[in-house]
Amino acid sequence: PPPPPPDAAAADMAYAARAAALRIASHPPVTVKRSTFQAHVAPVASPADARAAVDCLLSHRRIAAATHNIMAYRIVDGVTGAVTADCDDDGEAAAGGRLAFMLGAAKVSGAVVIVSRWYGGILLGPARFGIINNTARDALVAEGFISGGAGGGGGSGKKR
């Protein structure tokens, strides 16, 4: 393929620098029935940190072009134990809430996870929620926010 235009290359470099500064880890995409899911994880200490990570990801043209960018974060104050959490479905009804529930069930603290979905033209039905959560969980395990357990990704938050 031809090299990207100079302005696109500069944008890619700016994105890479900003993502590195925010310590955003983007994990390999998973494709199921032509829909592609990719999880991105970053450490956060505040809602502003979570917003900065989301804004950074959305500045990347490929991620911004995703059909949905589902987000959830959870922060637990080390002194008071107060939980600060939020989520966004980005049009994938109930997906953000399910992602936030998974973060709580796994006792994740200090992380934002964004799952980008590129719709492939085949309806996945309720199975899409499992794919979104599993993609996010695998990334959270890889980044050390969830312990992997004996099964390499199962842990105590395993579904039925």
Side-chain angles (χ1 to χ4, degrees), residues 1 4 11 25 28 32 42 44 46 50 52 66 72-73 78 85 103 114 123-124 128 136 140 147:
V32 178
V44 296
S46 69
Y73 70 84
L103 292 179
I114 299 96
L123 294 175
L124 299 177
R128 71 190 184 279
L140 289 161
S147 114

Side-chain angles (χ1 to χ4, degrees), residues 25-92:
S26 293
H27 288 262
V30 173
T31 301
V32 178
K33 294 185 180 178
R34 296 193 337 223
S35 280
T36 300
F37 301 82
Q38 183 178 24
H40 317 274
V41 177
V44 296
S46 69
D49 290 350
R51 185 78 248 158
V54 171
D55 289 346
C56 176
L57 286 164
L58 293 179
S59 74
H60 189 282
R61 63 186 177 281
R62 182 173 186 280
I63 296 168
T67 312
H68 307 286
N69 283 292
I70 303 120
M71 179 276 301
Y73 70 84
R74 186 170 187 271
I75 304 160
V76 180
D77 185 292
V79 176
T80 66
V83 175
T84 303
D86 200 4
C87 62
D88 182 11
D89 296 332
D90 192 31
E92 184 73 272

